[in-house]
Amino acid sequence: MTVILSSFLTFTGVVTNMVKSREWSRKTREEVITLHRKGNGYKKIAKMLNIPRETIGSIIRKFKAKGTVETLPGRGRKKMLTSTAVHYLKRRVEKSPHVTAEELRKDLSDVGTEVSAQTIRRTLRNEGLHARTPRRTPLLSPKNKKSRLQYAKSHVDKPQKFWDSVLWTDETKLELFGPMDQRYVWRRKNKAYEEKNTLPTVKHGGGSIMLWGCFASAGTGKLQRVQGTMNSLQYQEILDDNVMQSVTNLRLGRRWIFQQDNDPKHTSKSTRAWLQIKGWNILEWPSQSPDLNPIENLWWDLKKAVAVRKPKNVTELEAFAHDEWAKIPVDRCKTLVSSYASRLKAVITVKGCCTKY
């Protein structure tokens, strides 16, 4: 790395920080010169423009010496890194986004350029590169990417009528004091542990529930709590109790399509046999693809809405979940489904990798 960096950074300069005085506008400086030419003295001009007398003198002396009121080259704080060094930093972080500012500082130090990690962070921010918490995404194998890409290409041209007939389903976990319950507190330094400034927590999140739900372009369908650990048999019972009622309520018609992910209990031998008996039209689904299921967006909406209500126990958690699920606007559901082609195009663009959805 040192050898490569040495050849890349042909010259990197570090200069002493200079204190920069206030720079008056060109219009103001021109007014000073105009008033001076009319015979006004320094003191009078300073009073007229509300500018220090010393500054008036400086502007006039500069004009007499240089014949201009323009800002001359060389004014202001000098850059601590040359354009070559900045170019190196940009290339480095774009190629290796997980590299730290301290590692970059050491790289520069190895070739004789001593700057702080903070200077590197500031330089990269000025170039539009900001340190951010990385988004967590499913681990995709080459096989997963190929499957996702194939799914996207084979479905991207489906008419909107096709997607409007899909019943999207999934499970999610709702915690009593989960990650959605984010709060802030205004406090003074060293007062973090005063009782009024703390947020009491309960070990293991204070309880949680697992929910199965479904929705379509026409709105949200049934929502049911999963008791205990769900296995294939319980999954089939949930589908039996909720799917057809949701299809009827949402008026999906006789050509409706059932969507589920590739969870083992969804694809077990007994579940596959059960679905075959039902005769439902199953939407093929690529593994590791939560970003392709728009119900994930509704789960996010649900968790935020429930967190705002601050349930005190699991009973309230479940009650609030059912209440907020029913409140999700039909327009929200319709928008998610009507834009589904955009998800597929995004997958194609990134060649099967994860998308922002």
Side-chain angles (χ1 to χ4, degrees):
M1 176 59 71
T2 302
V3 175
I4 296 174
L5 181 56
S6 297
S7 61
F8 186 82
L9 295 176
T10 55
F11 176 76
T12 306
V14 180
V15 299
T16 303
N17 289 344
M18 303 292 290
V19 177
K20 182 179 179 180
S21 60
R22 175 176 178 181
E23 192 72 46
W24 294 92
S25 69
R26 175 179 174 176
K27 182 179 179 180
T28 300
R29 285 175 278 170
E30 288 177 343
E31 288 180 359
V32 171
I33 300 303
T34 299
L35 292 171
H36 177 65
R37 283 177 168 175
K38 290 182 178 180
N40 295 293
Y42 290 9
K43 185 176 181 180
K44 187 174 181 180
I45 296 174
K47 186 176 182 181
M48 293 170 68
L49 300 180
N50 194 26
I51 296 176
R53 181 176 176 178
E54 294 77 10
T55 301
I56 299 298
S58 176
I59 293 173
I60 294 173
R61 285 194 299 274
K62 173 188 170 183
F63 180 77
K64 289 180 177 179
K66 305 293 183 179
T68 180
V69 294
E70 296 286 352
T71 300
L72 299 176
R75 294 291 305 276
R77 180 179 178 177
K78 302 299 187 297
K79 292 183 178 180
M80 301 188 72
L81 294 171
T82 64
S83 59
T84 305
V86 173
H87 184 54
Y88 163 76
L89 293 175
K90 289 166 59 179
R91 284 187 57 185
R92 181 86 159 85
V93 298
E94 286 170 354
K95 184 177 180 180
S96 305
H98 293 272
V99 67
T100 66
E102 181 59 27
E103 290 171 338
L104 293 172
R105 186 198 67 76
K106 290 179 179 178
D107 287 348
L108 294 178
S109 178
D110 288 343
V111 293
T113 300
E114 298 295 339
V115 292
S116 68
Q118 184 58 36
T119 295
I120 290 173
R121 295 187 190 97
R122 183 174 61 249
T123 299
L124 291 174
R125 283 197 299 270
N126 290 339
E127 295 297 323
L129 293 163
H130 302 268
R132 295 285 187 266
T133 302
R135 297 290 189 270
R136 296 187 180 277
T137 58
L139 178 62
L140 297 178
S141 67
K143 183 179 179 180
N144 294 146
K145 294 177 185 177
K146 182 178 179 181
S147 176
R148 285 165 52 83
L149 184 58
Q150 183 178 349
Y151 169 82
K153 287 182 175 179
S154 63
H155 289 81
V156 70
D157 293 324
K158 293 286 186 182
Q160 187 58 43
K161 185 178 180 180
F162 176 88
W163 300 115
D164 288 341
S165 66
V166 174
L167 184 71
W168 306 90
T169 73
D170 193 23
E171 297 90 34
T172 194
K173 183 180 182 181
L174 220 60
E175 295 179 341
L176 192 57
F177 300 108
M180 296 301 302
D181 192 22
Q182 299 291 343
R183 309 180 199 179
Y184 297 90
V185 60
W186 296 101
R187 64 171 176 81
R188 297 186 182 279
K189 187 177 180 180
N190 300 324
K191 302 293 183 179
Y193 287 93
E194 285 191 2
E195 186 174 1
K196 66 179 182 179
N197 295 330
T198 63
L199 179 64
T201 60
V202 182
K203 193 174 182 180
H204 307 305
S208 64
I209 58 174
M210 182 69 71
L211 298 170
W212 175 93
C214 62
F215 93 104
S217 176
T220 54
K222 303 280 284 184
L223 184 72
Q224 180 171 327
R225 180 177 176 180
V226 178
Q227 299 295 338
T229 302
M230 184 164 65
N231 54 28
S232 295
L233 181 59
Q234 188 181 10
Y235 177 63
Q236 294 160 28
E237 291 174 349
I238 289 174
L239 297 186
D240 205 24
D241 292 340
N242 296 281
V243 169
M244 291 311 300
Q245 184 62 57
S246 296
V247 169
T248 300
N249 294 343
L250 296 171
R251 300 180 180 179
L252 295 184
R254 300 196 324 191
R255 295 181 177 273
W256 68 281
I257 301 165
F258 178 71
Q259 180 275 334
Q260 63 174 4
D261 62 27
N262 294 328
D263 186 281
K265 52 186 168 290
H266 301 173
T267 58
S268 66
K269 184 183 292 185
S270 66
T271 299
R272 289 201 307 270
W274 186 88
L275 289 171
Q276 188 173 10
I277 293 173
K278 289 291 184 181
W280 296 348
N281 185 13
I282 312 297
L283 179 66
E284 64 171 293
W285 196 255
S287 298
Q288 297 288 75
S289 299
D291 57 334
L292 288 176
N293 192 348
I295 201 173
E296 294 290 345
N297 300 84
L298 292 191
W299 289 144
W300 179 260
D301 294 348
L302 178 68
K303 291 176 181 180
K304 286 196 296 183
V306 171
V308 167
R309 297 181 64 173
K310 298 179 178 58
K312 299 180 180 62
N313 50 56
V314 172
T315 301
E316 283 192 353
L317 183 66
E318 182 179 359
F320 292 168
H322 281 279
D323 190 25
E324 296 300 331
W325 183 253
K327 290 180 182 177
I328 293 176
V330 173
D331 286 347
R332 170 63 167 157
C333 300
K334 189 175 184 63
T335 299
L336 286 172
V337 178
S338 64
S339 62
Y340 194 71
S342 298
R343 296 175 186 254
L344 301 179
K345 291 175 183 177
V347 172
I348 294 172
T349 299
V350 296
K351 300 179 180 179
C353 291
C354 293
T355 67
K356 66 178 182 179
Y357 297 97

